Amino acid sequence: MAGRPPEPATTTVVLSVDDAVATIRIDRPEKRNALDTATRAELIACLDWAGATPDVRAVVVTGTGGSFAAGADLGETDRIDPLAMRAMLRERRVYHAVAECPVPVIAMIDGYCLGGGCELAMSADLRIASADSVFGQPEIALAIIPGGGGTQRLPRLVGLGQAMRLILTGDRIDAATALRLGLVEQVVPAGELEAATRELCGRITRHARPALTLAKQAVRASAELPLQAGLALETELLCLASTSDESAERLAAFRRGS
Ligand code: COA
């Protein structure tokens, strides 16, 4: 389609676009979709591609074969060199690419959502899960701690006490518990996950892309800004939204009663 940048070449991730929704599927089912270096890089490339593609208005990140992602690939190295790790953690990371993506990113979770997988889901704007999904931050069992934002995003989603409990115990929780805690926004029967996600995406992508971008930016800023600064940003972004052609068209259509 005209206006689309060339799609990134991928081997461990599958990218597809349907009806304004780009779906990015981690495709290493034999490794429970563990996030190795190549997969993380391809996720970033696909997220950047989706963000730069004008007709995309939402992104779904998911996994194939009954797992979302079982965390960092523990097979990549037998001992982590702290200096190499520091260099790697200072690079642009997949969690940032999700946050910076100008359109809403929805994590569609089926099965294991552990460690870096759970952190990937938490960095998304919305999370929808199948009823038999399993969540957790098991890093403590490896004598390490979460490194993909888990210690910061989990307390913001579920509160300090529940985050502490999950991170200190390494315990897994089921989807119903994740929903009750606020780790996911929606849980559906396993066979209905794709349809429910499509329906959710449709309710988002019917809206104008500039408004989606600005709404995402404003709501995300609320996690970091004091109230007055957040309200000031909201005012600026609303003014910006109201300058878009889409806003003028939709207002005119409302006045015409169409
Ligand atoms: N990194 C690398 N490989 C992984 C992996 C990970 N995080 N998680 C699973 N795999 C691999 C297994 O090594 C196995 O590979 P093999 O068939 O070549 O031996 C394959 O995926 C299937 O895993 P298996 O444990 O047999 O499947 P399961 O369905 O019984 O259990 C999990 C799935 C996810 C519960 C289990 O694999 C697990 O606990 N993984 C580690 C999760 C973790 O600690 N993540 C945080 C990392 S910081």
Side-chain angles (χ1 to χ4, degrees), residues 30-32 34 70-75 112 114-116 138-139 142 144 172:
E30 71 291 353
K31 294 290 174 192
R32 304 295 182 262
D73 191 317
L74 300 173
Y112 292 113
L114 300 174
E139 292 85 351
L142 299 168
I144 55 172
R172 293 186 203 155

Side-chain angles (χ1 to χ4, degrees), residues 19-61:
D19 244 357
V21 179
T23 299
I24 304 172
R25 224 171 254 282
I26 307 166
D27 192 27
R28 302 183 74 210
E30 71 291 353
K31 294 290 174 192
R32 304 295 182 262
N33 296 327
L35 302 168
D36 64 352
T37 306
T39 306
R40 291 193 305 266
E42 291 181 10
L43 281 170
I44 292 173
C46 290
L47 284 157
D48 288 349
W49 180 87
T53 300
D55 55 310
V56 167
R57 291 198 294 278
V59 174
V60 172
V61 176

